[in-house]
Amino acid sequence: MVAPFFKLICVKSAVGARGNTPQLTRQGDTSTKQTTLSTRSHQTSKTMAQPTVTLYPLANYTFGAKEAQPEDDPSVTARLQRLQAEYEQQGMRHTVEGVLVVHEHGHPHVLMLQIANAFFKLPGDALKPGEDEIEGLKRRLDLRLAPASDGAAPDWEIGELLAVWWRPNFESHMYPYTPPHITKPKELKKVFLVHLPDKKLLSVPKNMKLLAVPLFELYENAQRYGPQLAALPHMLSRFNFVYEVNEGQ
């Protein structure tokens, strides 16, 4: 029997009052300039349309549990030591992660894993040397979130590339660029949007939690979630989200 296995973070946010924005005006006939700007804005809106993504309610999804998946590294230090050992044998590590988005009360929530009640991460992991990025991400999503293997092929729709992060040294910091003095970065991470169907069963390892974290909780909250997860609201702001609702809601 599949039991619900998730935790929804809800954080109240206070919106401060904003003052009136000063209007800068200049004497003279500005009607021609206004018309030109309006025309350009209209043309830009047609050529720079936001991609549309449909989000489904969190209640549409069923959450279950499966066998625990112990982490390879007990600490950040151990993870960096393993990265260095792998780098000496295989070169730069390639990592892929997926962003799964649902909505609750018309606001986007990102599904992410919490491990050992301590740190948060997106589903995904390092690729094997020469492994395809998309197929590799599908397999890792299956490993983390699919029910116990039934022999079926991975059923995930991998969408747009959201971000690329670089690890220049054997340190915890990653950057959305390669520093100019770095010629041999140690890790390359790509983050993709994963388009979810209207309903899906997600099974989580018993030693992990799957959280639905609202964007307003992530925004500028690097102290709790780290700079990569805190940047997700910026990455997702280019999409036009359509919020599907169930009948009767």
Side-chain angles (χ1 to χ4, degrees), residues 88-110:
E88 294 173 355
Q89 296 180 351
Q90 304 171 359
M92 182 177 67
R93 174 187 290 179
H94 290 75
T95 301
V96 288
E97 293 181 342
V99 177
L100 289 68
V101 189
V102 299
H103 83 84
E104 180 79 354
H105 305 301
H107 184 76
H109 287 60
V110 177

Side-chain angles (χ1 to χ4, degrees), residues 219-235:
Y219 181 64
E220 292 189 342
N221 199 354
Q223 182 176 359
R224 177 173 175 80
Y225 296 99
Q228 295 177 45
L229 297 180
L232 286 175
H234 293 282
M235 301 177 196

Side-chain angles (χ1 to χ4, degrees), residues 47-104:
T47 58
M48 301 293 288
Q50 288 179 286
T52 297
V53 175
T54 301
L55 301 183
Y56 298 96
L58 177 63
N60 277 26
Y61 301 94
T62 305
F63 300 88
K66 59 184 178 182
E67 291 301 316
Q69 296 177 5
E71 282 289 289
D72 293 330
D73 310 299
S75 66
V76 174
T77 301
R79 183 164 69 248
L80 294 176
Q81 289 175 345
R82 183 165 65 90
L83 172 64
Q84 184 170 2
E86 291 179 354
Y87 179 83
E88 294 173 355
Q89 296 180 351
Q90 304 171 359
M92 182 177 67
R93 174 187 290 179
H94 290 75
T95 301
V96 288
E97 293 181 342
V99 177
L100 289 68
V101 189
V102 299
H103 83 84
E104 180 79 354

Side-chain angles (χ1 to χ4, degrees), residues 4 55 68 132 140 149 202 213 236:
L55 301 183
D132 179 78
R140 279 146 188 81
S149 178
L202 301 174
V213 186
L236 295 170

Side-chain angles (χ1 to χ4, degrees), residues 187-204:
E187 183 177 1
L188 165 63
K189 178 189 291 186
K190 292 187 177 182
V191 181
F192 294 87
L193 181 66
V194 179
H195 296 272
L196 288 173
D198 59 340
K199 295 179 180 180
K200 194 174 182 67
L201 169 62
L202 301 174
S203 293
V204 187

Side-chain angles (χ1 to χ4, degrees), residues 96-160:
V96 288
E97 293 181 342
V99 177
L100 289 68
V101 189
V102 299
H103 83 84
E104 180 79 354
H105 305 301
H107 184 76
H109 287 60
V110 177
L111 299 182
M112 62 181 63
L113 296 165
Q114 185 180 28
I115 301 175
N117 293 321
F119 64 94
F120 307 88
K121 64 178 295 184
L122 297 171
D125 210 333
L127 297 172
K128 297 178 181 178
E131 187 175 12
D132 179 78
E133 292 176 347
I134 302 302
E135 294 304 315
L137 177 55
K138 289 180 179 180
R139 282 189 283 271
R140 279 146 188 81
L141 289 173
D142 257 8
L143 177 65
R144 288 297 197 214
L145 299 177
S149 178
D150 55 6
D155 181 24
W156 301 94
E157 182 182 350
I158 310 302
E160 296 81 351

